[in-house]
């Protein structure tokens, strides 16, 4: 077995033993089901593990992660996760979480500096990030704006866009029409500090 994979199994065994020692019966209770209150829609970046950075236990957070924490309104994977979270698990908070130093955002920012391509994106990755490139292009270059500042602006704008996308889904609009308590939030994880930033764009029933 490759050393990188072997390390995962060794670390897992040590973790399971430690949890069992600290909280006997934890895994037996976990096997009975889940009732998370939060759906986390985040980036696949390996530096942003939601359970670690929020000191959460298995079962606390339902998760959907992809490149650049996007929620396309026509993506069945994202919509299926949202539906299951709200309709079947009773999740009350949906958090879109971007992060600084995002490679996807950086690539889209650079691509936005070039004229739009004449041909349609040819690869799955290119198709996935195309909406973010369009968003970066729509923001335009800020006056006297550094690349670092422009990237942070793009990261935050992307989170706001995905919050709007989620709020526009029939699932959420119907939930709000029924006065169900489902809130949608926009956060950014600041990698340089290890902290979450609330963008102040939370939306909910009658909000």
């Amino acid at each position: 077995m490759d050393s990188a994979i072997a390390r995962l199994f060794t670390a897992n065994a040590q973790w399971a033993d430690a949890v069992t020692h600290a909280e006997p019966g934890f895994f037996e209770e976990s096997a009975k089901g889940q009732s998370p209150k939060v759906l986390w829609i985040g980036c696949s970046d390996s530096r942003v593990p939601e359970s670690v950075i929020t000191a959460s236990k298995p079962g606390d957070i339902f998760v959907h992660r992809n490149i650049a924490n996007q929620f396309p309104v026509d993506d069945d994977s994202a919509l299926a996760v949202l539906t299951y979270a709200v309709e079947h698990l009773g999740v009350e908070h949906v958090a879109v979480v971007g992060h600084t130093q995002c490679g996807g955002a950086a690539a889209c920012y650079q691509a936005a500096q070039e004229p739009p391509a004449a041909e349609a994106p040819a690869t799955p990755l290119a198709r996935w990030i195309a909406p973010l490139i369009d968003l970066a292009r729509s923001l335009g270059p800020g006056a006297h704006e550094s690349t670092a500042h422009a990237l942070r602006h793009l990261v935050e704008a992307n989170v706001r866009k995905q919050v709007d996308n989620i709020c526009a889904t029939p699932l959420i609009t119907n939930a709000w029409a029924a006065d169900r308590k489902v809130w949608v939030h926009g956060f950014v994880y600041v990698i340089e500090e290890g902290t979450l930033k609330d963008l102040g764009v939370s939306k909910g029933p009658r909000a």
Side-chain angles (χ1 to χ4, degrees):
M1 183 182 292
D2 183 84
S3 60
I5 300 301
R7 177 187 171 281
L8 296 181
F9 278 89
T10 299
N12 169 252
Q14 294 171 345
W15 171 77
D17 286 344
V19 171
T20 299
H21 178 75
E23 194 171 342
F26 176 80
F27 294 114
E28 288 81 0
E29 287 299 313
S30 291
K32 295 177 181 178
Q34 59 175 325
S35 55
K37 296 301 182 185
V38 176
L39 166 60
W40 177 288
I41 298 175
C43 182
S44 298
D45 194 298
S46 61
R47 300 167 295 175
V48 194
E50 66 292 325
S51 293
V52 175
I53 66 175
T54 61
S56 298
K57 295 180 180 180
D60 288 347
I61 304 176
F62 199 59
V63 181
H64 180 71
R65 292 171 66 179
N66 58 54
I67 301 298
N69 47 270
Q70 296 190 80
F71 194 98
V73 294
D74 58 352
D75 181 63
D76 278 347
S77 178
L79 288 167
V81 170
L82 181 66
T83 300
Y84 190 79
V86 173
E87 295 292 339
H88 298 277
L89 296 179
V91 158
E92 296 179 355
H93 300 277
V94 179
V96 179
V97 188
H99 66 93
T100 60
Q101 308 302 325
C102 180
C108 291
Y109 173 77
Q110 291 300 325
Q113 309 312 306
E114 304 295 330
E119 65 280 358
T123 68
L125 180 57
R127 288 192 292 272
W128 181 258
I129 65 174
L132 187 51
I133 294 174
D134 291 341
L135 177 61
R137 191 170 282 123
S138 73
L139 295 176
H144 309 296
E145 187 174 51
S146 67
T147 298
H149 187 274
L151 283 174
R152 183 165 297 215
H153 186 201
L154 176 58
V155 165
E156 294 188 0
N158 181 44
V159 169
R160 293 186 176 94
K161 174 64 175 176
Q162 308 317 316
V163 167
D164 289 342
N165 284 352
I166 293 169
C167 291
T169 63
L171 179 74
I172 296 299
T173 57
N174 290 339
W176 288 345
D179 205 26
R180 291 181 59 185
K181 294 181 179 179
V182 182
W183 291 83
V184 184
H185 311 275
F187 305 147
V188 169
Y189 174 64
V190 183
I191 284 184
E192 302 91 327
E193 301 173 358
T195 57
L196 284 171
K197 174 184 177 182
D198 187 347
L199 296 184
V201 294
S202 297
K203 299 180 181 180
R206 306 186 188 282

